[in-house]
Amino acid sequence: MNRLYLACILLLAVFTVQAQTRKLSGTVFESGTTTTIPGANISVAGTAAKAISDVNGKFTIDIATDKAYTLVIRYVGYTDQSIVIQPTDQSIKVNMTSQANDLDEVVVVGFGTIKRRDLTGAVASVKAADIVKAPTHNAIEAIQGRAAGVDITRSSGSAGAGVNIQIRGTRSISNNPSPLYVIDGVQNGGSINNINPNDIETIDVLQDASSTAIYGSQGANGVVIITTKKGTSGKPRISYNGYYGINGETAFPTPRQGEDYLTLRRESFRNDAGVITQTDAQIFNGAGELAAIQAGAFVNWMDLAIQNGRQQSHTVSIRGGSEATKALFSLGYFNEEGALRNNDYNRYNFRYNIEHKVNNWFKAGITGQLAYSKTNARRDPLSAALTALPFGTPYNADGSINIFPMGGFATGNTALSPLTDERAGAAIDENLGTEVNATGFAELTPIKGLTYRMNFGTVLSNSRRGIFNDQFSNAQNTVRYASASLTNNNGRYYNWDNVITYNKAINKHNFTVTALSSYIHSDADVNSATGIRQVLPSQGFNNLFGTEASSRVTTSGFTRFDLLAFAGRLNYSYDGKYLFQATQRWDGASVLAPGRKWDDFASASVGWVISSEAFMKNLKQISNLKLRASYGSAGNSGSVSPYGSQSLITTVPMGFGEVPVPAFGFSGSVANPDLGWERSATLNTGLDIGLFNNRISGSLELYRTKTTDIILSRGLPLTSGQSTITQNIGATLNSGINASLTTVNFQTKDFTWSTTATFSRNKERITDLIDGRNIVASNNPEENSLFIGSQVKVFYTYKKLGIWQLDENPGALSLAGQAFRFGDIKLQDVNGDGIIDPANDRQIIGGIQPKWFGGLQNNFRYKNLDLSIFLIARYGQTVKAEFVGRYNPGGVANGPDNFDYWTINNPSNDFPRPRQGNGLSSIYPNQYQSLLYIDGSFFKIKNIQLGYTLPKSITDKLKIGSLRAYATGSNIFTYSKNKLLRDYDPERGGAESSPLSRQFVFGFNLDL
């Protein structure tokens, strides 16, 4: 028996020796590059052995020594790799091939995530690698042209300016069309302008009713979900991302100089016989004008007003942790100096993200940000620089700015210099902002498949804006006394969500049920004070007690908004081929009228993964083919301000004899007890396709959105005693197509070329207004009128056909009782009655919405070099080119030098004949509007980036993880369809102030 025991022990020892394990080491690379991949999952097939690659892409895993094993390596966005490991292998290299539009990619949707293969809604996603390619402080600007259906333009070229964003056109008329921002699960979780783009992991844009319905009224204009970076397990990973460069070569028309200016002024005195009878002394008869001309004191004020600004960004982050606790900390600084002096923006960010897994069924975490910004704005001087007389003495002998540049040529000429605001302390507009975000969550998984998550997010914000303008500032030019003001805003925002999710798989059936409650509370207070004639101008806005006592005015206000919602969602999948989703949400908004505060909104969607069917198995070229369809409704109350459904009172000054008595009266807006929700119903059909193992992949969306019960402020007759009432009195219809396509055009070990294109076309129109009639506004009808069958924002005026030529008969038409003459603007006589009048001849000549817009991204990689070229285009939009109105037919004020005006010897069709007078609007009072609204179609090379990554052999010697240097240029080249915009970037829209500039930066990314 003892011998038997001994034999068993010896046999067990032999098996133990044979089953001994050894350590296999390796490094995971991106195929064809020296770039390593941290966080890749490595497992041994048929065993429980697992490992994760570290910050340098390295891993170590235990494998048996006696036989070959299969190693499986997985990483999101890359094709899974399987490698057979022989008993003699000690170290390996793994090359991961990127997979375009990986179907296993996780997409963030409302209150959860879903794999892209199971998605039935319209969702566009942009990853971190694309977000940081544009040198900007605003992440939304960085995704311009990269997400189909999302129309993004920069709001202005001033330092720290934000963006305009619109998803699938304009649904409402008076409501802000901006989408809902969800930041790390918090709805309206702070200003997008305060988020460092380097801190963002993904941006997902939800567009159709199926994907936005879970947010109810909050998502009526689409939803932008921003997920920031989180901590990882493993040793701490320190990263630095930074760049520095210039903002320069601002595209803007230059003013006339020298003889060009003098010729226009003289031409305005030419009579119909073609003769100028006046002398220069008679023509240039302004105070000191002739003396300045004779002295040759010509000045290009535009050159003096515009500078080359600077831009820089620096971000340091550290992320790491254990399997139980993961953390990320990030510190960022951004600075931008605009093309105008004293215009700059500084922002400081601190972001943290901590998550702790207490045990297998409970985890908790907190994420948040502290952001501080300082913006120095200024009154835009470009209109003054463009129109000011092009002569004078801009600087004094000591180099300081000469406030009255013509004073040396004519005593008493006190015309202000366009540069006057650049004097120290002359014009101050300082805005300080602080925003504190904090979101805590707790997640419980009491049983398999059941999860309860509680999110509580807060946003505390405050800002202080101080403004001071001295008596010789541009702002105070007409009154010539100093003014000062100070405004403080304080906001408090809370979002509390409770979400229960249950997932259950039964054979081929997979169910996910989500139930939630959501509460939002927002309140804010504001107080301000103003005064004039500051005793000590050096005190600026810091001592309003030093202003004239009788001029001081103080105001204060408070607003509050609450929203409570409940929702449920069901996701069902059968065999991964047949998909279904249904959502129901109930919203209650405090701003609506009693009895109308609550409403319900539902959606449903289906999907069919055709490529998973048996009959598709032999079609190897098709790797993915899915049809989708959704229909649902959403509500909107955003155009109703807090207390907007009520009749409010205001103070009315009265008196009895000589005794002042305060009284109260209605503010002018009467309550509407029937004011309820706007409703938008959307039908969306989609097609997703992948060919040749997703070397070619894309999606196509067709949609139709009908919005009814649009909230609009309506004027009341004077006999009512009130001025306006807010009602549900309109409807719109949006329909369109969104398409995106990604191709891997060429891929070898050393060279890769991929392309992504997006295309969006939207047609919007008003389908109903009040009593079925158009609304022609009494105030600025050219831009404020509404027309059934047209876009929401259109331009309504006379249509310019050209300029009346010598071989035509201008006298056959008249305007305001005056016959047209040669050189006048030729307007279209719509009804052919020979009279141009507003009732019959004004027409819609364009709208601000483009017929289509798109983007094209090309990425190239050759060994360690990488190059990306990004282009955008907008076609069919009309812009109001404000600087066109600076054409001065009388030549009294200056204007752009590229305007070709009509003369007897130069029969141009662009601009009318010079005539004596004080400006375009006074010389051609009923015609000039037809010049301003022009085709704003353009094509732009938006961004080019060239980078180089140091080979791993060098970074290993330097004992760093990776190092990449790059150079980036933005707004490099713009081609405009209309020649009048060739010296202007029409992405701005046409506004004269704060044009866009080119940007060139140099930077590097370092991982330690």
Side-chain angles (χ1 to χ4, degrees), residues 207 324 522 541 594 613 817 819 837 945 988:
Q207 302 186 43
S522 174
F541 54 79
E613 296 287 0
D837 65 281
Q945 186 175 96
R988 174 74 173 91

Side-chain angles (χ1 to χ4, degrees), residues 249 251 870-872 938-944 969-976 982 984-987 997-1000:
E249 297 186 32
F870 181 51
L871 302 87
I872 62 171
F938 70 91
F939 151 82
K940 176 190 285 192
I941 301 178
K942 180 68 175 180
N943 187 274
I944 295 180
S970 296
N971 297 327
I972 295 175
F973 171 78
T974 302
Y975 173 81
S976 300
R982 300 289 166 83
Y984 178 84
D985 189 335
E987 181 187 339
S997 301
R998 295 180 178 88
Q999 298 159 340
F1000 300 93

Side-chain angles (χ1 to χ4, degrees), residues 726-954:
T726 303
Q727 294 178 301
N728 299 100
I729 47 177
T732 60
L733 180 65
N734 275 266
S735 58
I737 178 173
N738 299 333
S740 61
L741 180 69
T742 298
T743 61
V744 181
N745 308 312
F746 202 86
Q747 188 172 43
T748 65
K749 178 182 178 182
D750 291 333
F751 179 72
T752 301
W753 171 28
S754 64
T755 301
T756 297
T758 63
F759 174 85
S760 305
R761 181 182 178 90
N762 179 76
K763 182 179 181 180
E764 70 176 41
R765 63 182 185 271
I766 299 173
T767 58
D768 190 25
L769 287 170
I770 308 178
D771 52 3
R773 293 185 298 176
N774 298 328
I775 300 175
V776 178
S778 57
N779 179 33
N780 190 14
E782 293 82 11
E783 299 172 33
N784 294 334
S785 299
L786 301 172
F787 298 92
I788 295 174
S790 298
Q791 291 183 21
V792 173
K793 297 293 185 181
V794 295
F795 299 119
Y796 175 69
T797 187
Y798 301 112
K799 183 176 182 179
K800 173 179 172 284
L801 300 179
I803 304 297
W804 285 107
Q805 303 298 330
L806 294 174
D807 59 352
E808 296 178 316
N809 183 21
L813 282 180
S814 64
L815 173 62
Q818 182 71 42
F820 285 92
R821 296 187 292 171
F822 300 116
D824 285 354
I825 303 171
K826 185 195 296 185
L827 304 177
Q828 184 177 21
D829 182 12
V830 176
N831 65 349
D833 63 357
I835 300 174
I836 302 296
D837 65 281
N840 297 304
D841 297 310
R842 286 188 298 183
Q843 57 185 296
I844 298 169
I845 60 173
I848 66 172
Q849 294 292 338
K851 292 182 178 178
W852 62 265
F853 60 91
L856 180 66
Q857 173 82 45
N858 278 285
N859 293 318
F860 304 91
R861 180 198 55 79
Y862 177 71
K863 293 186 177 179
N864 287 37
L865 279 172
D866 61 88
L867 172 68
S868 68
I869 303 175
F870 181 51
L871 302 87
I872 62 171
R874 289 170 63 88
Y875 180 82
Q877 65 177 347
T878 299
V879 300
K880 181 184 180 181
E882 294 177 354
F883 58 85
V884 172
R886 297 303 180 183
Y887 168 62
N888 191 298
V892 177
N894 207 349
D897 64 358
N898 62 341
F899 289 174
D900 188 15
Y901 53 86
W902 188 95
T903 68
I904 293 176
N905 298 318
N906 180 49
S908 166
N909 265 305
D910 291 342
F911 286 86
R913 173 182 179 176
R915 298 188 189 279
Q916 295 181 50
N918 239 339
L920 182 62
S921 60
S922 62
I923 298 173
Y924 297 100
N926 299 301
Q927 308 170 44
Y928 81 99
Q929 292 274 8
S930 63
L931 296 174
L932 302 182
Y933 306 106
I934 61 179
D935 190 338
S937 303
F938 70 91
F939 151 82
K940 176 190 285 192
I941 301 178
K942 180 68 175 180
N943 187 274
I944 295 180
Q945 186 175 96
L946 177 65
Y948 178 75
T949 302
L950 253 60
K952 194 171 187 305
S953 58
I954 297 178

